[in-house]
Structure formats: structure tokens, C-alpha cells
Amino acid sequence: MEINLVCGTNFHLIENFITEIKNNNNFEFERIDAQIILKDEILNRISTFSMFSEKKLVLVDSLLTKISSEEKSGEWDSFLENIQSSESHNILYLIEKFESESDLNSLKRKNIFKDINFITKEFNTPSGRGSFEKISNWITSKEKQYGLKLTNNQRSVFIYDSNRDYLLIENELLKLSNFSNGQEVNEDDFNNIVSISKNYKIFDLIDAFFSSNRKDISVTINKLYLSGINVIEITNMIASEMHKILQIKFLLNEGKNNSEISKNLRISSTFYFNKLANSSRKIPIERLKIIYESLLEFDLKCKTKNFEKELELELLLLSI
């Protein structure tokens, strides 16, 4: 049986590739998650002949991760070798997604890679901050891939305002691509669609808030207003960050390490995760709960009552 490995850190491109496989074939298509079914069921689903077509395309998510984690038990010995040597006409695609290339490379060093001839397709998002030239060239290549026509000013937002977070940049480029249909995007539409700078600007406000710096809170929140971010957006963004910080706090208390937590919360940016994790370690859990609940109450008030929202949000941040 033919065994393909589709892997990497770029989840979007992996899913695009899977969609192409599904749409460009007339064979029966089945996708299963190895983490939630037992070994015998996995084998049965892979090996069963199709009743509707000449062969079956079977996609299995996280099978190699599962085999690797249970390798010492011996339960999976020769599992893939037996599948590959079978005479079935089915085609197997193993789907493995990773938050970092180091996790992928760690899996590749496992014994399961020594005896199997995988047909490998790897999709990775560059990691690290990189040089100006590296990120600029990468953005240019993505413009061509997505059929975008960015101005120099728009391109500079991704280079300078994103903390060079490749995954975040690609998500925003995809949003622009879906909106633009190959046409130029004017500045007003660009600013409404792209939230990349908003995500990082909010950190300055959160830093000022946690340090109880009244002057910096006032200055930063007014800068956010001037940049076009409204009260509801600011409230929701802060609440979202507080929720993540609380989640990290709970997971740290359970003894989870940074790698486990970032995977659990699907946070791929090291910069972003470290900002949240540092806050979670410094701030008592009771204060985090009070802040989060106060923000939710304020958000509800904004949606149900008329009042001076800008002034009251600033007063709220100065008081809790």
C-alpha cells in the first residue's frame, strides 16, 4: 500500500492540500482521527476495500504521534510495515501537524521512520523573527501565492507591526486574499480587515495595567482610540488575553510545562506565549478572575446601555 506523509507547522496549507486530494479524485474518501479510536479499528478502516470505487483514500490524523507516544509498549511493532507490504490498492495519507519544526524533527528521529518509505509532503511556516530581508522576501512570495497587490505602506505593517510572527502574518494575508479577489485593497478596507497591529498594541495597555501605571494606561488607551480601535474591541481583546492568561495559570498549576500548554492552547508564537505566561506567573489567580469578570460585565453594559464608554473603560482599568 502506498503511504504518504503530509506534515508541518502550516495548518492552513496542510488543509488546502487535503482539500485538493479530496476534490481532484473520484475515489472514496475517508478521514479518521487516530487519537480517538483503537488500533484494530484504525487497521480495519485503512485496509477495508471500497464498495464505491476502485480504491479508497484514507487520511489518518496523528497516527505517527500516537505510535511514537506508545512505542515502548511494543503494541505497534511492524504496524506500518505490514500495511505498506499489503497488496491493497488503497492509498494512505498520514497527517501530522506540529506547533514547531523542532517537534516535527524530533518525531522524524523516531524508529518508525527507519523502516518505512514515506512519500512526504511538508508544509512549514518559517519560525523565528528573522532579518528584514528574510521576512520581506517571504511576504512577497506569499503575495504572489495569494494573488495580492499590497502597497509599500501595507507591506510595512506586516514587517514592522507584527513582531515578525509568520503564522499571524499568513492568517492576515489569507483574510486579505479572500476579500480582495486579486484586486488592490484601499487603505480603509485594509485597516478594517487587518487586525495584526491591534493584537500587539494591546500588549502595551496590558503591561501598563498590570504594573498599575496610571499615566501609561491613560496614554496607551488614548493611542488605541486614535488608531481606530474602539471601546468594544479593546474590551474584547483584553478579555480574550485575560482568558488565555487564566487558562495558562490553571495548566501551570496542574504541572504542565510551556511546550504542553502552548500546544494545548494552540499558541504557536513564542513571543506571544511568553508574554501571556509571564503575566500568568506574576498575577494572583483571584485578581485575574476579578479582572476577567469585570471586563465581561463592562462588555454587557456597553451592549445594553448608553454611557460614556471611553471614559468608563479607562476608569475601570484604573480601579481593578
Side-chain angles (χ1 to χ4, degrees), residues 53-165:
S53 60
E54 175 189 345
K55 63 183 72 173
K56 185 166 65 172
L57 308 182
V58 184
L59 279 72
V60 186
D61 287 280
S62 305
L63 178 59
L64 294 183
T65 300
K66 182 170 187 169
I67 292 174
S68 175
S69 67
E70 301 175 6
E71 188 175 21
K72 292 182 180 179
S73 70
E75 181 183 355
W76 297 91
D77 290 353
S78 301
F79 181 80
L80 290 175
E81 290 93 325
N82 292 337
I83 290 174
Q84 190 165 59
S85 62
S86 75
E87 296 181 0
S88 171
H89 294 296
N90 292 347
I91 299 176
L92 176 61
Y93 289 89
L94 302 179
I95 313 299
E96 298 289 337
K97 297 177 181 178
F98 297 91
E99 297 294 341
S100 70
E101 285 189 55
S102 62
D103 292 334
L104 171 57
N105 292 331
S106 176
L107 180 67
K108 286 180 178 178
R109 291 192 290 269
K110 299 288 187 179
N111 291 330
I112 48 177
F113 274 83
K114 294 179 181 178
D115 302 315
I116 303 297
N117 296 317
F118 294 110
I119 301 171
T120 303
K121 191 75 175 176
E122 193 167 325
F123 299 97
N124 289 317
T125 299
S127 58
R129 299 187 67 181
S131 65
F132 170 86
E133 183 179 7
K134 176 183 175 182
I135 193 168
S136 180
N137 291 340
W138 183 79
I139 290 170
T140 300
S141 72
K142 288 297 173 182
E143 283 184 61
K144 293 177 181 177
Q145 179 183 334
Y146 293 134
L148 288 167
K149 298 177 181 178
L150 299 180
T151 66
N152 288 334
N153 284 340
Q154 291 168 351
R155 198 175 294 110
S156 69
V157 169
F158 296 110
I159 294 172
Y160 297 111
D161 287 350
S162 65
N163 200 52
R164 304 185 185 182
D165 183 331

Side-chain angles (χ1 to χ4, degrees), residues 193-233:
I193 294 166
V194 174
S195 58
I196 195 164
S197 58
K198 297 176 185 178
N199 291 331
Y200 284 101
K201 284 175 182 175
I202 206 71
F203 286 141
D204 291 336
L205 179 58
I206 291 174
D207 287 342
F209 170 68
F210 279 141
S211 62
S212 301
N213 190 318
R214 301 174 69 87
K215 180 180 177 182
D216 284 352
I217 289 174
S218 295
V219 170
T220 307
I221 200 168
N222 280 292
K223 282 183 179 178
L224 290 170
Y225 292 146
L226 290 172
S227 68
I229 306 175
N230 63 41
V231 171
I232 299 294
E233 285 182 298

